[in-house]
Amino acid sequence: MTRSFLARVATVVALTLGLASCYIPDNFHSELRLSRFGDWAVTFDGDLIYAPIMHDYAEGKITADNEEEKNQNIYKDLVRDPAIKAIQRIGKGRFNIKYERMGRLGKVQLSALLRRDARLLALKSAEDGTITIAGNGVRPGDAQRMTELGIGMRGEFRITTDGNVLRHNANEVRPFGQYRVYIWKVENAFSPSPILVMQREDDPQRPLEEK
């Protein structure tokens, strides 16, 4: 492994660490079900790659003596989240997970998958009644370096909702009874980050609480 290659790896990892999440999704299928009142349920089935450990591999800091411990520490970080229902170690900072979580957005609130300090997807409600769903993006320069190093970011994300969608950048929209399904095909790190903005309706049976 050449020094130039190691330098490129170190550079892309440093840039990746600037993202809102240290985990990169790959080979995944994820769906968010969002009601017009702000109730939601999200699933994720796929791989997560822990970016920081790549820096350690590139610099030769991962050895036969500490590799198990390093990867076990990542495993412990993931399994502490009760929304992760199943997890399988694949190797070199990559884990296959099944994630399920649900909730209800307050009047003004931010929720995230996986969590706020490891954000892949943000759900944000605002005073004006809008709900914004936004995926964590990758800057073009970072995406190019990830591609050169063979770091995948491929999958499919869907939002199923009966709400009044104001704008979105989905690749495809399908009717499903009273619902509509918004579909994003993520081909690589260059794919546009998913975004959808919906106008929430008041639920007469369950008034919103301030968060």
Side-chain angles (χ1 to χ4, degrees):
M1 194 174 291
T2 66
R3 288 188 178 181
S4 62
F5 177 79
L6 294 178
R8 288 165 59 206
V9 173
T11 299
V12 70
V13 172
L15 290 169
T16 303
L17 289 175
L19 301 176
S21 175
C22 290
Y23 290 99
I24 300 170
D26 192 23
N27 301 324
F28 67 91
H29 185 280
S30 180
E31 181 176 8
L32 172 69
R33 297 185 179 183
L34 178 64
S35 83
R36 64 186 185 274
F37 303 127
D39 300 283
W40 58 270
V42 65
T43 61
F44 177 96
D45 187 350
D47 294 350
L48 291 180
I49 305 167
Y50 187 63
I53 200 173
M54 294 165 51
H55 182 71
D56 291 339
Y57 275 107
E59 292 195 338
K61 294 180 180 178
I62 304 298
T63 66
D65 293 331
N66 66 16
E67 184 172 23
E68 173 63 24
E69 179 184 1
K70 295 283 188 180
N71 282 276
Q72 183 64 16
N73 288 338
I74 304 168
Y75 176 85
K76 289 178 180 178
D77 177 61
L78 290 171
V79 297
R80 68 189 176 91
D81 189 336
I84 292 181
K85 306 305 181 183
I87 183 170
Q88 179 182 359
R89 291 175 52 169
I90 298 176
K92 292 191 175 181
R94 182 185 286 261
F95 297 80
N96 183 265
I97 73 163
K98 295 184 185 300
Y99 179 100
E100 298 176 4
R101 187 176 163 204
M102 63 179 61
R104 189 176 199 243
L105 287 167
K107 186 175 181 179
V108 179
Q109 186 178 0
L110 173 65
S111 292
L113 180 168
L114 300 164
R115 53 184 184 267
R116 293 193 185 187
D117 64 345
R119 187 184 306 166
L120 300 180
L121 183 72
L123 297 78
K124 183 179 181 180
S125 56
E127 285 275 5
D128 62 2
T130 57
I131 292 176
T132 301
I133 310 300
N136 184 38
V138 179
R139 293 174 296 184
D142 300 357
Q144 179 61 41
R145 292 175 178 86
M146 288 172 62
T147 301
E148 290 171 357
L149 294 170
I151 303 171
M153 191 173 172
R154 186 178 180 88
E156 181 177 290
F157 175 57
R158 297 185 174 205
I159 296 178
T160 300
T161 183
D162 60 351
N164 175 25
V165 173
L166 304 178
R167 63 185 178 90
H168 67 88
N169 65 345
N171 302 110
E172 182 182 356
V173 182
R174 299 177 185 171
F176 183 67
Q178 64 179 348
Y179 301 90
R180 298 184 78 81
V181 183
Y182 298 80
I183 304 170
W184 288 262
K185 301 286 189 180
V186 181
E187 299 293 339
N188 49 51
F190 290 98
S191 297
S193 182
I195 187 166
L196 180 144
V197 180
M198 183 191 87
Q199 187 68 45
R200 189 212 299 261
E201 294 182 20
D202 293 330
D203 185 348
Q205 298 184 6
R206 298 177 61 192
L208 287 176
E209 297 179 358
E210 295 286 352
K211 294 289 184 178

